[in-house]
Amino acid sequence: MTLRKVNVVIILLLAVAFLIIVQRNLLNLSDILHMENPVAGKSLPFESELSPDLGLESVRKGEEISVLITAVEERLGAVVAAMNSVYQNSKANVVFTIVTLNDTVEHLNVWLSKTQLNNIKYNIVIFKPELLSGKMSKDSPMLQDAQPLTFARFYLPVYLPKAEKAIYLDDDVIVQGNIQELYETNLKPGHAAAFSDDCDSASVKGIIRGAGNPNNYLGFLDFKKDAIKQLGMKANTCSFNPGVIIANLTEWRNQNITLQLEHWMELNSREDLYSKTLAESIITPPLLIVFYKRHSAIDPMWHVRHLGTTGAGKRYSPQFVKAAKLLHWNGHYKPWGRTSSFSNVWDKWFIADPVGKFNPVRKSPGDH
């Protein structure tokens, strides 16, 4: 074979080899182009670097859980601590609705946007005090302890017009469990709300204040009044605490619960229906009437309360407090104050005020 023919053969072989390599590369490219979602459910390395919060937020999917809480300026640190505890202890898709007054909005926005809570989902709604116009007696001695915002729980469908179910929380709570579990509390057919009953709960055992017993209806309502007598309620019926509410808002709307609550507020302003030795807030009596034997029960560990009363430190062991899903400092002694029990638990969830207005009061080394 001549040298010229050898060169032609070599060139042809090289050409064939080149074509084979090109074909294989094209086939690999075709496979990639036809592959569906090659990285479905995964974040590429550079995505995580550019968006450090992507991994955290990607798991907060599923049904939206509506949580309503009120925010008073002088207790704003409590609201932030409560929200932080809910957010950090759950991967649920929680959306907070914060009901407050105009003078608190700016401070609240700064606190949430300038701290580790800048990823939470929240809406701020302004409470209109005129909602209560004509529904409360102006000369009632109970009014001095009443904050208008505490009545926001009566208007849940107003503040959550699109929600079918919601959770209401007082600001002096810490949530240690997954809020999804509380949200999934089963409400019986026809029930618009679930509360924690008092009688069978270790939270209130043995607590008596004045002549009224906060374990039953007699501690909240004046059973000598005709309007109460006509209801046919038993005075020794177990009461409940409205600091935590799971509400079926569809039933709430259908049964006109808000209008019923307003009716009893207005009637009380004229006839003074509440007990003279009222155990706690003036929020509770209308709820007790409207939901008499028409509410479901919350797991007691999802509302361990009275941490704000005297003797709570002796009543609960640290192990019990640690096991509780939700802690409530209802009573006079708040966890941001000097004399509260288990304030160290609350401190874990408190986020310092970036503008320095709110500062928890703590005992100095010389205090006893």
Side-chain angles (χ1 to χ4, degrees):
M1 184 180 292
T2 65
L3 181 60
R4 184 176 180 181
K5 290 182 178 179
V6 171
N7 289 338
V8 170
V9 171
I10 292 173
I11 291 171
L12 289 172
L13 290 173
L14 289 172
V16 170
F18 175 77
L19 290 172
I20 290 173
I21 292 172
V22 170
Q23 182 186 31
R24 286 181 178 176
N25 287 338
L26 288 172
L27 286 173
N28 289 337
L29 178 61
S30 176
D31 288 342
I32 292 173
L33 291 174
H34 285 86
M35 189 182 299
E36 293 185 7
N37 300 323
V39 289
K42 296 181 180 179
S43 299
L44 296 176
F46 65 86
E47 286 182 316
S48 297
E49 291 172 4
L50 292 175
S51 305
D53 295 319
L54 181 64
L56 176 66
E57 293 307 309
S58 64
V59 297
R60 293 183 182 273
K61 295 180 179 178
E63 183 180 5
E64 185 176 288
I65 296 178
S66 297
V67 176
L68 187 139
I69 192 167
T70 60
V72 182
E73 177 67 26
E74 59 268 26
R75 295 164 61 120
L76 207 50
V79 178
V80 171
M83 292 172 64
N84 188 37
S85 70
V86 170
Y87 185 74
Q88 300 296 344
N89 285 313
S90 173
K91 297 299 182 184
N93 182 21
V94 178
V95 179
F96 294 96
T97 294
I98 308 166
V99 182
T100 189
L101 302 173
N102 283 312
D103 59 359
T104 304
V105 174
E106 183 178 355
H107 188 186
L108 179 59
N109 273 324
V110 170
W111 209 328
L112 296 179
S113 63
K114 301 296 183 183
T115 64
Q116 57 263 47
L117 289 180
N118 59 355
N119 284 319
I120 68 166
K121 299 177 182 177
Y122 70 95
N123 304 302
I124 295 178
V125 181
I126 304 301
F127 181 82
K128 297 181 179 179
E130 53 264 32
L131 277 174
L132 305 178
S133 179
K135 301 178 180 68
M136 299 177 68
S137 175
K138 294 181 180 180
D139 56 357
S140 171
M142 297 176 186
L143 270 183
Q144 61 186 1
D145 297 322
Q147 289 278 357
L149 281 172
T150 61
F151 291 92
R153 75 198 82 189
F154 288 6
Y155 299 93
L156 291 175
V158 176
Y159 298 123
L160 300 165
K162 297 181 180 179
E164 296 181 3
K165 191 176 184 181
I167 297 172
Y168 167 84
L169 297 176
D170 272 355
D171 60 3
D172 52 354
V173 306
I174 288 295
V175 175
Q176 300 186 131
N178 183 346
I179 199 75
Q180 182 88 38
E181 183 182 332
L182 179 62
Y183 184 77
E184 291 174 354
T185 297
N186 183 47
L187 272 68
K188 295 179 181 179
H191 285 181
F195 304 92
S196 287
D197 289 327
D198 286 331
C199 298
D200 58 353
S201 171
S203 291
V204 296
K205 189 175 181 180
I207 302 173
I208 305 292
R209 181 181 173 193
N213 184 343
N215 288 17
N216 60 38
Y217 274 47
L218 185 60
F220 294 89
L221 297 166
D222 187 347
F223 278 78
K224 296 178 182 178
K225 296 295 176 72
D226 288 339
I228 301 299
K229 285 182 181 179
Q230 292 170 6
L231 293 173
M233 301 185 301
K234 293 183 178 179
N236 64 349
T237 300
C238 180
S239 59
F240 53 77
N241 185 294
V244 177
I245 305 172
I246 298 107
N248 178 334
L249 295 181
T250 301
E251 284 291 344
W252 195 294
R253 295 182 186 99
N254 290 342
Q255 297 178 31
N256 292 318
I257 296 295
T258 296
L259 288 176
Q260 292 186 54
L261 293 168
E262 288 183 328
H263 166 74
W264 287 105
M265 288 171 65
E266 292 170 0
L267 196 60
N268 176 68
S269 70
R270 300 193 302 269
E271 300 184 20
D272 200 16
L273 304 177
Y274 302 165
S275 172
K276 299 299 181 184
T277 55
L278 187 64
E280 287 194 10
S281 81
I282 61 175
I283 299 297
T284 305
L287 290 163
L288 291 177
I289 295 172
V290 172
F291 287 103
Y292 178 71
K293 294 189 175 181
R294 289 197 301 151
H295 67 275
S296 298
I298 295 175
D299 181 340
M301 293 303 284
W302 267 106
H303 196 178
V304 173
R305 49 207 180 277
H306 294 286
L307 274 74
T309 59
T310 55
K314 297 178 181 178
R315 190 180 310 114
Y316 301 133
S317 69
Q319 293 77 16
F320 177 75
V321 169
K322 184 177 181 180
K325 302 292 184 67
L326 184 148
L327 300 168
H328 188 185
W329 279 265
N330 60 311
H332 292 294
Y333 306 103
K334 300 304 180 185
W336 55 89
R338 189 185 300 274
T339 55
S340 170
S341 299
F342 299 106
S343 57
N344 60 312
V345 176
W346 184 87
D347 285 342
K348 291 195 308 182
W349 306 106
F350 174 67
I351 298 172
D353 184 357
V355 300
K357 290 183 179 179
F358 183 99
N359 294 291
V361 179
R362 293 294 175 254
K363 292 181 179 180
S364 63
D367 291 343
H368 296 286

